Amino acid sequence: MENNMRKKRTVVTLAAVALAALTTLFLAGNGAATAGSQEAAAAPTKFNNEELRQMLVPESEQRKTASSVQPTITIAEAVRTGQFGTGPGIASEPRACLEMTTALGDLSGVEGYMHSGERSQAAAPESLQRYFMTAVFQIPGGASTAIDKVAKVLRTCSAGTIRLDTGSGESLRGSISYAEHEAPALNGARTFASTLTTILPWTDPASTDKTVQTLQECDAQLTLAANGDLLIWSVEPTEQLAVNSVRTVHERALALS
Protein backbone atom coordinates (compact mmCIF):
# COMPACT_ATOMS: atom_id res chain seq x y z
CA MET A 1 0.00 0.00 0.00
CA GLU A 2 1.30 3.45 -0.92
CA ASN A 3 -0.47 5.26 1.91
CA ASN A 4 2.05 7.12 4.08
CA MET A 5 5.04 5.73 2.22
CA ARG A 6 7.87 8.20 1.68
CA LYS A 7 8.71 8.58 -1.99
CA LYS A 8 10.73 10.87 -4.22
CA ARG A 9 9.18 11.63 -7.57
CA THR A 10 8.95 14.23 -10.30
CA VAL A 11 7.63 17.62 -9.24
CA VAL A 12 4.16 17.64 -10.79
CA THR A 13 1.74 18.55 -8.03
CA LEU A 14 0.97 21.50 -5.81
CA ALA A 15 2.54 19.80 -2.82
CA ALA A 16 5.74 18.99 -4.62
CA VAL A 17 5.97 22.41 -6.26
CA ALA A 18 5.45 23.96 -2.85
CA LEU A 19 8.31 21.92 -1.46
CA ALA A 20 10.61 23.26 -4.12
CA ALA A 21 9.32 26.78 -3.56
CA LEU A 22 10.07 26.52 0.15
CA THR A 23 13.77 26.41 -0.61
CA THR A 24 13.59 29.98 -1.84
CA LEU A 25 13.16 30.96 1.80
CA PHE A 26 16.51 29.69 2.94
CA LEU A 27 18.80 32.55 2.04
CA ALA A 28 19.27 34.51 5.22
CA GLY A 29 19.40 31.75 7.74
CA ASN A 30 17.95 28.35 7.20
CA GLY A 31 20.97 26.11 7.81
CA ALA A 32 21.73 24.34 11.04
CA ALA A 33 25.42 24.83 11.67
CA THR A 34 28.35 22.66 12.49
CA ALA A 35 31.87 24.02 12.82
CA GLY A 36 33.93 22.91 9.88
CA SER A 37 37.40 24.37 9.55
CA GLN A 38 39.10 27.32 11.19
CA GLU A 39 42.53 27.48 9.65
CA ALA A 40 45.15 30.05 10.58
CA ALA A 41 45.37 32.14 7.44
CA ALA A 42 45.07 35.81 6.66
CA ALA A 43 41.46 36.92 6.36
CA PRO A 44 40.42 38.72 3.18
CA THR A 45 40.57 42.48 3.28
CA LYS A 46 37.40 44.56 3.14
CA PHE A 47 35.89 44.37 -0.31
CA ASN A 48 34.17 47.09 -2.32
CA ASN A 49 30.84 46.52 -4.03
CA GLU A 50 32.31 45.61 -7.40
CA GLU A 51 34.63 43.04 -5.82
CA LEU A 52 31.72 41.48 -3.96
CA ARG A 53 29.83 41.16 -7.23
CA GLN A 54 32.86 39.61 -8.94
CA MET A 55 32.97 36.80 -6.37
CA LEU A 56 29.74 35.29 -7.70
CA VAL A 57 29.99 32.96 -10.65
CA PRO A 58 28.77 34.80 -13.81
CA GLU A 59 25.27 33.99 -15.02
CA SER A 60 26.71 32.64 -18.28
CA GLU A 61 28.72 30.06 -16.34
CA GLN A 62 25.74 29.15 -14.12
CA ARG A 63 23.70 28.20 -17.18
CA LYS A 64 25.92 25.17 -17.71
CA THR A 65 24.11 23.43 -14.83
CA ALA A 66 20.94 25.52 -14.50
CA SER A 67 17.64 25.58 -16.34
CA SER A 68 17.05 29.19 -15.26
CA VAL A 69 19.16 31.94 -13.69
CA GLN A 70 17.87 35.13 -12.10
CA PRO A 71 19.82 38.40 -12.41
CA THR A 72 22.32 39.18 -9.67
CA ILE A 73 20.93 41.64 -7.13
CA THR A 74 22.27 43.41 -4.06
CA ILE A 75 21.40 42.22 -0.58
CA ALA A 76 19.53 45.51 -0.08
CA GLU A 77 17.45 44.78 -3.20
CA ALA A 78 16.77 41.27 -1.91
CA VAL A 79 15.46 42.73 1.34
CA ARG A 80 13.25 45.27 -0.47
CA THR A 81 11.74 42.65 -2.76
CA GLY A 82 10.97 40.18 0.01
CA GLN A 83 13.52 37.51 -0.94
CA PHE A 84 14.04 36.73 2.74
CA GLY A 85 10.38 36.50 3.73
CA THR A 86 8.43 33.31 4.24
CA GLY A 87 5.70 34.39 1.86
CA PRO A 88 1.94 34.27 2.43
CA GLY A 89 0.36 31.08 3.65
CA ILE A 90 3.54 29.47 4.98
CA ALA A 91 4.23 29.05 8.69
CA SER A 92 6.36 26.88 10.92
CA GLU A 93 6.65 25.93 14.55
CA PRO A 94 9.09 26.86 15.96
CA ARG A 95 9.01 30.07 13.96
CA ALA A 96 12.82 29.90 13.76
CA CYS A 97 12.50 27.08 11.23
CA LEU A 98 11.64 29.62 8.53
CA GLU A 99 12.15 33.07 10.02
CA MET A 100 15.89 33.24 10.22
CA THR A 101 16.78 36.75 9.05
CA THR A 102 16.44 37.89 12.66
CA ALA A 103 19.57 35.86 13.48
CA LEU A 104 21.63 38.14 11.23
CA GLY A 105 19.83 41.32 12.25
CA ASP A 106 18.91 44.13 9.86
CA LEU A 107 20.25 43.28 6.40
CA SER A 108 19.03 46.41 4.63
CA GLY A 109 22.38 48.15 5.12
CA VAL A 110 24.61 45.11 4.61
CA GLU A 111 26.79 45.13 1.50
CA GLY A 112 26.68 42.06 -0.70
CA TYR A 113 25.07 40.30 -3.63
CA MET A 114 23.02 37.23 -4.37
CA HIS A 115 21.89 35.28 -7.39
CA SER A 116 19.52 32.37 -7.71
CA GLY A 117 17.71 30.13 -10.15
CA GLU A 118 16.88 26.49 -10.79
CA ARG A 119 19.31 23.68 -11.46
CA SER A 120 18.65 21.40 -14.39
CA GLN A 121 17.40 17.90 -13.73
CA ALA A 122 20.65 16.54 -15.13
CA ALA A 123 22.60 18.44 -12.46
CA ALA A 124 20.57 16.92 -9.62
CA PRO A 125 18.58 13.94 -10.96
CA GLU A 126 17.73 12.47 -7.55
CA SER A 127 16.55 15.71 -5.93
CA LEU A 128 13.02 17.09 -5.91
CA GLN A 129 14.13 20.61 -5.28
CA ARG A 130 15.73 22.61 -8.08
CA TYR A 131 16.25 25.99 -6.43
CA PHE A 132 19.78 27.25 -5.89
CA MET A 133 21.09 30.42 -4.33
CA THR A 134 24.53 31.84 -3.69
CA ALA A 135 25.07 35.00 -1.66
CA VAL A 136 27.99 36.99 -0.29
CA PHE A 137 27.52 39.24 2.73
CA GLN A 138 30.05 41.67 4.18
CA ILE A 139 29.31 41.47 7.90
CA PRO A 140 30.81 44.33 9.95
CA GLY A 141 32.71 42.97 12.92
CA GLY A 142 33.22 39.49 11.51
CA ALA A 143 31.19 36.81 9.76
CA SER A 144 32.17 34.12 12.27
CA THR A 145 30.00 35.84 14.88
CA ALA A 146 27.10 35.75 12.44
CA ILE A 147 27.57 32.00 12.07
CA ASP A 148 27.38 31.55 15.83
CA LYS A 149 24.11 33.51 15.98
CA VAL A 150 22.51 31.55 13.16
CA ALA A 151 23.62 28.22 14.61
CA LYS A 152 22.16 29.03 18.01
CA VAL A 153 18.75 29.81 16.54
CA LEU A 154 18.65 26.93 14.08
CA ARG A 155 19.33 24.36 16.73
CA THR A 156 15.86 25.10 18.06
CA CYS A 157 14.49 23.48 14.89
CA SER A 158 15.98 20.01 14.84
CA ALA A 159 12.36 18.80 14.56
CA GLY A 160 9.63 21.24 13.63
CA THR A 161 6.28 21.39 11.87
CA ILE A 162 5.23 23.31 8.79
CA ARG A 163 1.89 24.45 7.41
CA LEU A 164 1.28 25.48 3.81
CA ASP A 165 -1.95 27.10 2.59
CA THR A 166 -2.89 25.48 -0.72
CA GLY A 167 -5.25 28.27 -1.73
CA SER A 168 -8.20 25.88 -1.83
CA GLY A 169 -9.23 26.34 1.78
CA GLU A 170 -7.11 23.45 2.97
CA SER A 171 -3.66 23.42 4.51
CA LEU A 172 -0.87 20.95 4.00
CA ARG A 173 0.80 20.04 7.28
CA GLY A 174 4.12 18.32 7.54
CA SER A 175 7.53 18.35 9.18
CA ILE A 176 10.64 20.47 8.77
CA SER A 177 14.02 19.72 10.27
CA TYR A 178 17.73 20.44 10.04
CA ALA A 179 20.51 17.87 10.32
CA GLU A 180 24.07 19.09 10.78
CA HIS A 181 26.84 17.33 8.95
CA GLU A 182 30.54 17.71 8.26
CA ALA A 183 31.41 20.88 6.38
CA PRO A 184 34.17 21.21 3.77
CA ALA A 185 37.58 22.58 4.76
CA LEU A 186 38.46 25.87 3.09
CA ASN A 187 41.79 27.62 3.54
CA GLY A 188 41.47 30.33 6.17
CA ALA A 189 37.70 29.98 6.54
CA ARG A 190 35.30 28.68 9.13
CA THR A 191 32.69 26.52 7.45
CA PHE A 192 29.46 24.78 8.37
CA ALA A 193 26.74 22.83 6.65
CA SER A 194 23.41 21.10 7.10
CA THR A 195 20.60 19.36 5.30
CA LEU A 196 17.14 20.88 5.48
CA THR A 197 14.38 18.29 5.06
CA THR A 198 10.73 19.16 4.47
CA ILE A 199 8.06 16.44 4.32
CA LEU A 200 4.46 17.08 3.23
CA PRO A 201 1.57 14.79 2.23
CA TRP A 202 1.03 14.35 -1.51
CA THR A 203 -1.94 13.02 -3.47
CA ASP A 204 -1.38 11.69 -6.98
CA PRO A 205 -3.72 13.70 -9.27
CA ALA A 206 -3.94 10.72 -11.62
CA SER A 207 -5.26 8.45 -8.90
CA THR A 208 -8.98 7.76 -8.65
CA ASP A 209 -8.65 7.28 -4.88
CA LYS A 210 -7.99 10.72 -3.44
CA THR A 211 -7.67 9.29 0.06
CA VAL A 212 -4.37 7.65 -0.82
CA GLN A 213 -1.42 9.87 0.07
CA THR A 214 2.32 9.56 0.13
CA LEU A 215 4.76 11.65 2.10
CA GLN A 216 6.73 13.83 -0.27
CA GLU A 217 10.25 14.56 0.96
CA CYS A 218 12.38 17.47 -0.24
CA ASP A 219 15.96 18.12 0.84
CA ALA A 220 18.00 21.28 0.46
CA GLN A 221 21.74 21.38 1.10
CA LEU A 222 23.26 24.40 2.83
CA THR A 223 26.96 25.18 3.01
CA LEU A 224 28.42 28.39 4.46
CA ALA A 225 31.85 29.88 4.96
CA ALA A 226 33.11 32.83 7.01
CA ASN A 227 36.47 34.52 6.50
CA GLY A 228 37.01 37.89 8.12
CA ASP A 229 33.93 39.99 7.40
CA LEU A 230 32.97 37.86 4.41
CA LEU A 231 30.06 35.41 4.72
CA ILE A 232 29.34 33.05 1.82
CA TRP A 233 25.98 31.28 1.78
CA SER A 234 24.91 28.54 -0.61
CA VAL A 235 21.67 26.58 -1.01
CA GLU A 236 21.68 23.76 -3.55
CA PRO A 237 19.78 20.57 -4.42
CA THR A 238 22.81 18.42 -3.56
CA GLU A 239 25.66 18.61 -1.08
CA GLN A 240 28.29 18.45 -3.81
CA LEU A 241 26.75 21.39 -5.69
CA ALA A 242 26.67 23.41 -2.46
CA VAL A 243 30.29 22.60 -1.62
CA ASN A 244 31.41 23.44 -5.15
CA SER A 245 29.56 26.75 -5.03
CA VAL A 246 31.08 27.89 -1.73
CA ARG A 247 34.57 26.72 -2.65
CA THR A 248 34.47 28.54 -5.98
CA VAL A 249 33.28 31.81 -4.42
CA HIS A 250 35.87 31.56 -1.65
CA GLU A 251 38.65 31.02 -4.16
CA ARG A 252 37.51 34.07 -6.13
CA ALA A 253 37.44 36.09 -2.89
CA LEU A 254 41.00 35.08 -2.01
CA ALA A 255 42.13 36.08 -5.50
CA LEU A 256 40.61 39.54 -4.97
CA SER A 257 42.02 40.10 -1.47
Side-chain angles (χ1 to χ4, degrees):
M1 180 181 294
E2 289 190 342
N3 188 36
N4 291 329
M5 291 179 58
R6 185 175 302 175
K7 291 188 175 182
K8 298 179 185 290
R9 61 180 73 211
T10 306
V11 179
V12 293
T13 69
L14 173 62
V17 170
L19 289 174
L22 282 171
T23 60
T24 65
L25 312 176
F26 306 145
L27 172 57
N30 291 347
T34 181
S37 65
Q38 183 74 59
E39 301 183 21
T45 57
K46 181 178 174 61
F47 298 101
N48 60 41
N49 264 323
E50 182 54 33
E51 289 170 331
L52 289 167
R53 178 188 284 271
Q54 289 177 21
M55 291 177 199
L56 296 180
V57 177
E59 295 172 25
S60 58
E61 290 295 310
Q62 290 284 6
R63 292 192 181 95
K64 293 179 180 179
T65 57
S67 57
S68 67
V69 182
Q70 298 300 315
T72 300
I73 61 175
T74 66
I75 296 301
E77 289 174 312
V79 171
R80 288 196 300 269
T81 56
Q83 297 292 320
F84 304 152
T86 60
I90 302 175
S92 67
E93 181 61 40
R95 292 178 63 184
C97 295
L98 293 179
E99 299 181 17
M100 292 308 306
T101 55
T102 54
L104 294 183
D106 182 8
L107 293 174
S108 60
V110 171
E111 293 181 324
Y113 286 87
M114 67 160 284
H115 60 201
S116 61
E118 292 190 5
R119 292 295 179 207
S120 64
Q121 184 171 353
E126 300 302 317
S127 177
L128 273 180
Q129 85 107 351
R130 292 284 175 261
Y131 177 81
F132 77 88
M133 179 284 305
T134 309
V136 290
F137 304 82
Q138 190 149 252
I139 308 293
S144 184
T145 300
I147 284 180
D148 291 334
K149 292 178 180 178
V150 171
K152 181 179 180 180
V153 174
L154 284 173
R155 285 169 182 155
T156 68
C157 193
S158 59
T161 59
I162 188 167
R163 176 182 55 77
L164 178 68
D165 186 354
T166 65
S168 64
E170 297 182 355
S171 294
L172 293 176
R173 297 179 182 274
S175 66
I176 184 169
S177 61
Y178 299 86
E180 303 177 20
H181 56 81
E182 185 177 358
L186 297 178
N187 184 33
R190 177 185 177 187
T191 59
F192 63 85
S194 74
T195 300
L196 165 62
T197 299
T198 307
I199 301 174
L200 286 170
W202 182 85
T203 302
D204 188 343
S207 174
T208 57
D209 187 353
K210 300 305 180 184
T211 66
V212 176
Q213 291 185 324
T214 62
L215 293 180
Q216 191 77 294
E217 177 178 336
C218 181
D219 291 337
Q221 301 294 329
L222 300 99
T223 303
L224 290 82
N227 197 342
D229 287 357
L230 180 65
L231 179 65
I232 305 168
W233 199 303
S234 174
V235 178
E236 290 280 359
T238 71
E239 182 179 352
Q240 190 58 59
L241 286 170
V243 171
N244 291 346
S245 174
V246 170
R247 179 173 286 121
T248 298
V249 174
H250 188 251
E251 289 174 353
R252 293 168 74 93
L254 291 177
L256 289 167
S257 62

